[in-house]
Amino acid sequence: MRAVEIREYAETDWPQVWPIVREVVRAADTFPYDPGMTEGEARDTWLERPPGLTVVAAEDGRVLGTAKMGPNKPGPGSHVSTASFMVPGDARGKGVGTALCRFALGWAREQGYAGMQFNAVVETNRAAVDIYERLGFELIGTVPGAFEHPEHGRVGLHIMYCAF
Amino acid sequence: MRAVEIREYAETDWPQVWPIVREVVRAADTFPYDPGMTEGEARDTWLERPPGLTVVAAEDGRVLGTAKMGPNKPGPGSHVSTASFMVPGDARGKGVGTALCRFALGWAREQGYAGMQFNAVVETNRAAVDIYERLGFELIGTVPGAFEHPEHGRVGLHIMYCAF
């Protein structure tokens, strides 16, 4: 693939970001989000305000994926970051998820976070788990059966962590 | 101690619940909440709407503790419950936390949840960890250094789970 540019989300990206969020959330196989999420709820959920950040992966003006990042918890938990990534079906397998995750890790390091935590990685989402492990995340534990997968039934949710 | 009554939160409880939330949040040693949380933010955070529930532990009209409970995640994660408990310093060591946790587990079982997950139990909060283990929670894993404790520095956050 050509180099994908990762840049800060701009309001003009929404017409391309919303269909990605809608597709991923409605598939209900990777995110513990309400699959009936409205466009307004998607905006509230996905568009971070400082100290968080939302970005897009773009190639020739086409948005191929999106990520959000920021503190995982407020107050005494705010030195640990978290991030989420969405890549639509027709853009998968091209390294977009890896590029987004690398970007998020670099951003969080620059911001001075102590590490990055993922709270709910669906264990059947092997593509994601592989990327995270390759980029330095370790498995903290798995909550058994915590995710109702549309095909596989109840599968585990991994908690993963990357210390900086 | 006399039997503590656990009952649904009523609006008239707020003048007793807010000081408890304020004390626990400002101490910043057990909850990853913003210690500067305002009264309005505390209401939004602590008072659950259906399908969740907020309760108080009361004795002779005095509120000795409070708990909130509900789905841990939306959508494909909504069959697992979560709960949080607050007991002010001068009511600790009397079984109030245990009574609140027992109540939450009973409520979640009745509601048909598959289990209860705690996402961020501060590892130095031994009183809480002991109660949870006694009531059937297992340790899923610990995110190292994820909580900035005012006395102990960065300590771990446990993820705990009780399957029903």
Side-chain angles (χ1 to χ4, degrees):
Chain A
M1 70 183 296
R2 281 176 293 175
V4 167
E5 179 203 10
I6 313 282
R7 60 165 174 77
E8 190 170 349
Y9 166 86
E11 226 2 78
T12 47
D13 294 318
W14 186 249
Q16 291 194 78
V17 169
W18 164 230
I20 295 174
V21 175
R22 185 176 52 199
E23 175 190 319
V24 170
V25 170
R26 292 203 180 155
D29 55 356
T30 56
F31 270 79
Y33 283 4
D34 177 2
M37 185 182 271
T38 65
E39 187 170 350
E41 288 163 349
R43 289 185 63 92
D44 289 346
T45 301
W46 200 255
L47 304 183
E48 292 273 346
R49 283 175 216 152
L53 179 71
T54 300
V55 300
V56 295
E59 189 184 56
D60 297 335
R62 188 183 158 216
V63 174
L64 298 177
T66 176
K68 66 167 187 162
M69 56 210 76
N72 190 44
K73 305 270 182 193
S78 61
H79 59 287
V80 171
S81 62
T82 190
S84 300
F85 313 98
M86 290 187 176
V87 179
D90 63 2
R92 285 177 198 162
K94 301 192 209 174
V96 177
T98 300
L100 286 167
C101 189
R102 268 191 213 286
F103 179 94
L105 286 167
W107 175 86
R109 279 193 176 93
E110 263 173 34
Q111 298 288 313
Y113 288 99
M116 183 174 284
Q117 178 176 344
F118 297 147
N119 302 292
V121 180
V122 179
E123 67 180 346
T124 50
N125 187 3
R126 285 304 316 173
V129 174
D130 287 350
I131 291 170
Y132 302 155
E133 286 179 341
R134 225 178 320 119
L135 295 182
F137 284 80
E138 56 168 335
L139 181 64
I140 297 291
T142 306
V143 185
F147 189 86
E148 185 79 57
H149 192 285
E151 290 142 40
H152 306 302
R154 287 187 182 168
V155 300
L157 284 177
H158 294 323
I159 293 94
M160 301 186 79
Y161 185 66
C162 179
F164 295 164
Chain B
M1 75 183 292
R2 279 175 294 175
V4 167
E5 179 203 12
I6 313 283
R7 59 164 174 76
E8 189 170 350
Y9 167 87
E11 227 1 79
T12 47
D13 293 319
W14 185 249
Q16 291 193 77
V17 168
W18 163 231
I20 294 174
V21 175
R22 185 176 53 198
E23 175 189 319
V24 169
V25 170
R26 291 200 181 159
D29 55 356
T30 55
F31 271 79
Y33 283 4
D34 176 2
M37 184 181 272
T38 65
E39 187 170 351
E41 289 163 349
R43 289 186 64 92
D44 289 347
T45 301
W46 200 255
L47 303 183
E48 292 272 345
R49 282 175 217 153
L53 179 71
T54 300
V55 299
V56 295
E59 190 184 56
D60 298 333
R62 189 185 156 212
V63 174
L64 298 177
T66 176
K68 66 168 187 160
M69 55 210 77
N72 190 44
K73 305 269 182 194
S78 61
H79 59 287
V80 171
S81 62
T82 191
S84 300
F85 313 99
M86 290 187 175
V87 179
D90 63 3
R92 285 177 198 160
K94 300 192 209 174
V96 177
T98 300
L100 286 167
C101 190
R102 268 190 213 285
F103 179 94
L105 286 167
W107 175 86
R109 280 193 174 93
E110 262 173 36
Q111 298 289 312
Y113 287 99
M116 182 174 284
Q117 179 176 344
F118 297 147
N119 302 292
V121 180
V122 179
E123 67 180 345
T124 49
N125 187 2
R126 285 305 317 173
V129 174
D130 287 349
I131 291 171
Y132 302 155
E133 286 180 340
R134 226 179 317 121
L135 294 182
F137 283 81
E138 55 168 336
L139 182 64
I140 297 293
T142 306
V143 185
F147 189 86
E148 184 79 56
H149 192 285
E151 289 142 40
H152 306 301
R154 287 187 182 169
V155 299
L157 284 176
H158 293 323
I159 293 96
M160 302 186 78
Y161 186 66
C162 178
F164 295 163

